[in-house]
Amino acid sequence: MTHSILRVVVVAGLVVAAAPAAAANKEHQQLMADIRMLQEQAQQLQNILGALNESIKAVNARLDDQTNVSRKAFADQKLIIDTLGSDSRVIREKLDDNNVRLGSLSQELNALRQAVDQMSTRATTTGADADPAAAGGGGAAAGSAPVVAVSPQKMQDSAMADYALGEYDLAIEGFQAYIKNFPRSDWADDAQVNICNAYINQGKYDKAVDACDTAIRTYPNTNAIPEAYYRKGLALKSLKQTERAREALEYLVKTYPESQAAILAQQTLAQLGARQN
């Protein structure tokens, strides 16, 4: 009986001892399963990240390619625009040159037309005034010299040549003849200012002031006006009319500040000194 009881006690003890061990083994197995699951999830995440990196690399490569294509397209467009700008500038210069030539030809034609009109008028006058009795012997009018057409360029060159040689009287006559024959020419205002310059070189300052005033009054919106005001100021300065000279020069500096004449006028104003009170 005692042995039976001992065996029961021993078996009960083994059962009691085995229960915690079995429970611990189950927890260990569950923990290992959780760890394996986490490892698998980590591997999946790593695979996803790897795929994302590859996708990002592919996108970056495409962006780089697109950037290079855009940069090349912009460079090509800039080259085309620069080429068009250069071509436009060349065309504009050629058009300007053609306009100058056309203007010169127009002046030449006007000179020829005026000469023909003068010849026609002279022939009509000669025919009307001729003495019928003198027809056989020839009248004095029949021997009149024909009108010679002179182009505006030749008249300009001749007058400027006289001016350069110091033949100011001849130059003034040439400038005046040019203005009379070609009053609408682009150079008519310059011719009038050159008359003013010629008078200044001769020391005829009163006439120089009058010539400059004529230029200012007759050609108010041309590019020769700043020069006209400057030369007028110089002439008045030589006449000791300091206040009038300062007035002309100050108007020039205020109205045409970007002109070369305005720079020279400022230097002359500095020489005149401060305004008298």
Side-chain angles (χ1 to χ4, degrees):
M1 178 64 70
T2 302
H3 291 292
S4 299
I5 294 171
L6 288 173
R7 283 199 295 270
V8 170
V9 172
V10 170
V11 170
L14 291 174
V15 170
V16 172
N25 187 36
K26 287 182 179 180
E27 291 179 358
H28 177 74
Q29 291 177 351
Q30 184 63 40
L31 180 61
M32 294 301 296
D34 292 340
I35 291 174
R36 283 196 300 272
M37 183 178 297
L38 290 174
Q39 289 175 344
E40 291 175 355
Q41 292 176 352
Q43 184 64 39
Q44 291 176 355
L45 289 174
Q46 187 173 358
N47 293 336
I48 293 172
L49 290 175
L52 287 174
N53 288 332
E54 293 298 326
S55 299
I56 292 172
K57 289 180 180 179
V59 170
N60 288 336
R62 287 197 295 271
L63 289 175
D64 291 340
D65 293 339
Q66 186 63 38
T67 301
N68 292 332
V69 171
S70 299
R71 186 181 296 111
K72 185 177 183 302
F74 286 141
D76 293 340
Q77 290 177 356
K78 185 177 184 301
L79 178 61
I80 293 173
I81 292 172
D82 292 341
T83 302
L84 289 175
S86 178
D87 292 342
S88 299
R89 185 164 48 253
V90 172
I91 292 172
R92 191 182 305 111
E93 291 174 354
K94 289 183 177 179
L95 287 175
D96 292 340
D97 185 52
N98 287 335
N99 289 334
V100 172
R101 292 181 180 179
L102 287 174
S104 178
L105 288 174
S106 177
Q107 292 177 353
E108 299 279 350
L109 289 174
N110 288 334
L112 291 173
R113 187 179 297 111
Q114 290 176 3
V116 171
D117 291 342
Q118 292 177 13
M119 291 175 66
S120 177
T121 302
R122 179 170 296 182
T124 302
T125 304
T126 301
D129 295 342
D131 186 355
S144 299
V147 176
V148 179
V150 179
S151 70
Q153 188 62 49
K154 289 181 179 178
M155 291 187 69
Q156 176 182 341
D157 292 342
S158 177
M160 290 302 299
D162 290 332
Y163 182 88
L165 293 173
E167 299 290 342
Y168 297 119
D169 288 331
L170 291 176
I172 290 171
E173 290 179 3
F175 295 139
Q176 290 173 340
Y178 184 95
I179 295 171
K180 180 179 179 180
N181 286 278
F182 311 106
R184 296 182 181 179
S185 168
D186 291 338
W187 197 71
D189 55 335
D190 298 285
Q192 184 61 44
V193 175
N194 284 334
I195 293 174
C196 174
N197 292 338
Y199 280 134
I200 289 177
N201 291 332
Q202 288 182 317
K204 299 177 181 179
Y205 302 116
D206 288 329
K207 291 186 175 181
V209 173
D210 291 339
C212 289
D213 283 337
T214 299
I216 294 169
R217 182 174 59 255
T218 309
Y219 312 100
N221 298 317
T222 61
N223 57 4
I225 296 305
E227 179 75 9
Y229 274 105
Y230 175 63
R231 296 299 174 182
K232 178 181 178 180
L234 292 183
L236 290 170
K237 177 175 177 287
S238 297
L239 289 170
K240 308 301 181 181
Q241 298 183 23
T242 305
E243 291 305 313
R244 290 186 61 195
R246 183 182 286 107
E247 180 181 351
L249 296 173
E250 287 178 347
Y251 180 84
L252 165 59
V253 172
K254 179 180 178 181
T255 310
Y256 307 97
E258 302 298 327
S259 65
Q260 182 65 29
I263 298 175
L264 298 175
Q266 289 176 338
Q267 297 174 358
T268 306
L269 284 170
Q271 296 173 2
L272 292 175
R275 186 184 295 273
Q276 296 293 332
N277 294 328

